Amino acid sequence: MINLDTPERVRDMLDAGVAGLNCRQDMRAAIIRKQEKVRRRNAARIPVAAAAAVLVAVLGIAGYVGRPRTVNEFYAIEAGGGVTVTARPVTEHKFVLTAEDDHAILIHRGKLYRMTYILSNPAVAGACVGSVTRYTENPYAPVADSNDYISNAVFKGDPVYEVDGLSVSTAVLAEVDGQLAVFQRSGEHGYGLNGDSLLDTCAVVGQIASISLEGVGTLEGEQAEQAMSVLIEKARLENAEALPGGQALLITLKNGLRLELSMSGDQLIGCGVWDCTGFLDTFRALVTAHTGDQTV
Amino acid sequence: MQPEAGPYTGAVFDALYTQYGNDVLRTAYYYVGEKQRAEDICQDVFTKLFTYTGEIAPGKEKAWLIRVTINACRDYWRSSWAKRVILGPPTMELIPDDRNLIEEREEKEMLAKAVSALPAQFREIILLYYYENFTLQEIASMLNISEGTVASRLARGRYKLEAILEEVPEK
């Protein structure tokens, strides 16, 4: 039986299986010929493409004016402190945006955790709180109050750790492919708050280094704690379940761990959807007061 | 007006072709299972490199090439759906060199066939991780999906691969 636990061995076997397949000189010659063809074709297309681009730009601007704001647009601070609604920029925080239905998750006692990213600093790992007892391709099916650690990404027997100083209701760490990955509490597929509050699923008060709201700005230290207090105070539960979306709200803790939530208008989306009317104004005011026209 | 060729021409192109050409070709072969098609994809990928006018971060050239390769393979895989349904999937055959002709041939053949039998979304992750040696973060970046999705697909791909390998009767 081929052992998949040793990637080097698998790689060697795969490589040896096609070692006789090599780029030939005639292939390189064909590429050069193709390049010439493509260049000629592109040269012919440039005037047409330029005209089309102008048309698209004109139509696009016309279509944008007066259009209601959608979830794909978000607030950003302009120079001078005003607020504008902009198109979504490219973001690297795919957890916030992902609609992929085969995301890595971990479930334990009715609490669902979504993998956000591979941890670069394993020193934040606290005590081992268990190990995955069942790997399954369909993790949502098992009984909600099962004491098992169930995952579609962490294999059976691999350990689960708490984050040093952080509640397991907020996040845990688990080994994925030999590296520690952050699994953050989320509400989806029938797994909601399970009796917890926002303060439990985002238990970071006193530990925040910074909070960034994508497109608006970053608050650090006391201002970040202040914003978090306002968020907790204003939050009213709207729905126990929702997939993240909107603009990323990133909470970086003093130990370097990052929690990824999102804002869609006045709604905070993390573990559940929370109406946080007024939070955005507070956040914006704090950003403009302390950093001027900073935009991330 | 003729568009300017990008920065990946001449000696730079030759160096990248020499260094990564086989990676591109072999990855494409494992993905599509047809030698001629893999060669076509390889040529398309390097044609794109030649005409690419953007800048690839130094050290990320292989990742760029393999990402373009995977996209080309996906396009081909989708477009050849009817052909695969009517004629059946391509039969993956080993193309070893003289040195690897006999040694562990059966095991290698089993593995290659098992990889080619995986659904495309798992096959590409398995190839990128096991064959091309990319990390989960690199794969996420290349395929524009989250690290969590890569982790889940890798685990599921591996699980399926083990299941296929267990089914293969040992001689």
Side-chain angles (χ1 to χ4, degrees):
Chain A
M1 177 67 187
I2 297 160
N3 183 2
L4 298 177
D5 286 333
T6 50
E8 301 80 14
R9 168 98 179 107
V10 175
R11 186 173 312 124
D12 287 347
M13 289 181 71
L14 286 171
D15 207 32
V18 289
L21 185 62
N22 296 296
C23 286
R24 302 183 312 270
Q25 275 310 307
D26 64 307
M27 285 172 64
R28 191 184 170 286
I31 292 166
I32 301 297
R33 282 198 302 275
K34 260 191 190 174
Q35 287 163 1
E36 287 308 317
K37 249 191 212 172
V38 169
R39 287 174 69 180
R40 279 199 296 273
R41 197 171 58 211
N42 285 348
R45 280 178 179 171
I46 278 181
V48 178
V54 169
L55 185 63
V56 166
V58 169
L59 291 176
I61 289 165
Y64 189 82
V65 174
R67 199 161 49 113
R69 204 177 81 81
T70 73
V71 76
N72 289 320
E73 299 169 335
F74 61 67
Y75 299 104
I77 288 202
E78 306 175 305
V83 174
T84 185
V85 174
T86 70
R88 170 187 299 293
V90 174
T91 173
E92 65 185 55
H93 303 290
K94 296 189 184 74
F95 164 70
V96 173
L97 301 172
T98 188
E100 295 140 7
D101 59 2
D102 54 355
H103 206 88
I105 62 157
L106 184 68
I107 294 172
H108 176 61
R109 300 191 74 138
K111 295 177 179 178
L112 183 144
Y113 302 84
R114 222 168 197 255
M115 180 182 149
T116 48
Y117 67 101
I118 299 281
L119 200 59
S120 56
N121 173 21
V124 303
C128 180
V129 290
S131 62
V132 169
T133 41
R134 185 155 26 137
Y135 168 82
T136 172
E137 290 194 61
N138 183 17
Y140 305 112
V143 182
D145 62 355
S146 165
N147 199 32
D148 286 341
Y149 278 96
I150 299 158
S151 180
N152 63 351
V154 186
F155 282 116
K156 184 177 175 180
D158 284 346
V160 179
Y161 302 92
E162 64 179 6
V163 179
D164 207 8
L166 198 66
S167 162
V168 292
S169 290
T170 301
V172 292
L173 308 172
E175 273 189 25
V176 171
D177 176 43
Q179 301 176 88
L180 280 181
V182 179
F183 283 80
Q184 183 183 316
R185 191 75 185 281
S186 180
E188 56 190 273
H189 290 92
Y191 291 86
L193 285 159
N194 198 33
D196 288 331
S197 66
L198 180 61
L199 205 51
D200 298 314
T201 61
C202 196
V204 295
V205 174
Q207 303 186 57
I208 303 171
S210 67
I211 299 182
S212 292
L213 181 56
E214 190 183 18
V216 176
T218 299
L219 295 172
E220 295 178 340
E222 278 182 25
Q223 283 74 43
E225 289 285 358
Q226 193 181 337
M228 191 67 208
S229 301
V230 171
L231 187 68
I232 298 287
E233 179 198 322
K234 293 195 178 295
R236 299 286 176 271
L237 183 65
E238 283 195 348
N239 192 340
E241 285 186 50
L243 290 173
Q247 60 197 106
L249 181 74
L250 306 174
I251 303 174
T252 305
L253 306 185
K254 288 171 184 165
N255 62 9
L257 194 90
R258 186 180 72 232
L259 296 180
E260 301 183 3
L261 301 100
S262 64
M263 293 290 299
S264 180
D266 286 319
Q267 291 176 321
L268 170 77
I269 308 171
C271 186
V273 182
W274 303 81
D275 177 70
C276 296
T277 303
F279 167 71
L280 192 67
D281 290 336
T282 305
F283 193 93
R284 211 163 49 208
L286 286 167
V287 169
T288 47
H290 295 281
T291 59
D293 63 353
Q294 179 188 357
T295 298
V296 290
Chain B
M1 189 172 84
Q2 181 133 327
E4 283 184 23
Y8 302 100
T9 57
V12 177
F13 176 86
D14 285 343
L16 291 173
Y17 183 75
T18 304
Q19 194 170 357
Y20 301 122
N22 286 348
D23 286 314
V24 168
L25 178 62
R26 293 170 184 179
T27 299
Y29 180 63
Y30 268 122
Y31 199 120
V32 300
E34 294 173 60
K35 188 180 170 199
Q36 183 57 53
R37 184 59 59 183
E39 289 181 353
D40 291 346
I41 288 172
C42 180
Q43 289 176 18
D44 287 345
V45 169
F46 279 96
T47 300
K48 280 186 177 140
L49 175 70
F50 188 89
T51 52
Y52 185 63
T53 53
E55 193 182 340
I56 303 168
K60 299 288 180 191
E61 294 88 353
K62 181 181 174 185
W64 188 94
L65 288 165
I66 296 296
R67 179 168 58 81
V68 176
T69 305
I70 292 291
N71 286 337
C73 290
R74 283 176 172 179
D75 288 345
Y76 171 71
W77 197 251
R78 277 193 289 263
S79 69
S80 65
W81 177 83
K83 181 181 159 189
R84 278 184 279 122
V85 169
I86 295 165
L87 302 177
T91 310
M92 181 78 202
E93 290 189 359
L94 293 189
I95 309 178
D97 61 7
D98 295 342
R99 186 172 50 88
N100 290 291
L101 205 55
I102 299 169
E103 191 189 342
E104 299 176 310
R105 184 178 176 109
E106 280 179 15
E107 261 198 330
K108 286 169 190 164
E109 207 152 42
M110 274 167 54
L111 181 62
K113 287 188 172 168
V115 170
S116 73
L118 286 172
Q121 63 174 337
F122 302 115
R123 191 185 329 144
E124 61 192 32
I125 301 279
I126 291 286
L127 283 174
L128 293 173
Y129 178 77
Y130 281 106
Y131 186 49
E132 291 297 349
N133 198 23
F134 288 115
T135 63
L136 297 187
Q137 295 98 319
E138 287 170 328
I139 296 170
S141 173
M142 287 166 73
L143 301 183
N144 198 29
I145 54 179
S146 63
E147 290 175 23
T149 299
V150 176
S152 132
R153 287 185 191 168
L154 178 62
R156 291 173 69 194
R158 189 180 143 158
Y159 188 73
K160 287 177 191 297
L161 196 58
E162 281 174 344
I164 295 169
L165 288 169
E166 276 171 14
E167 275 175 20
V168 178
E170 292 196 28
K171 291 180 184 173

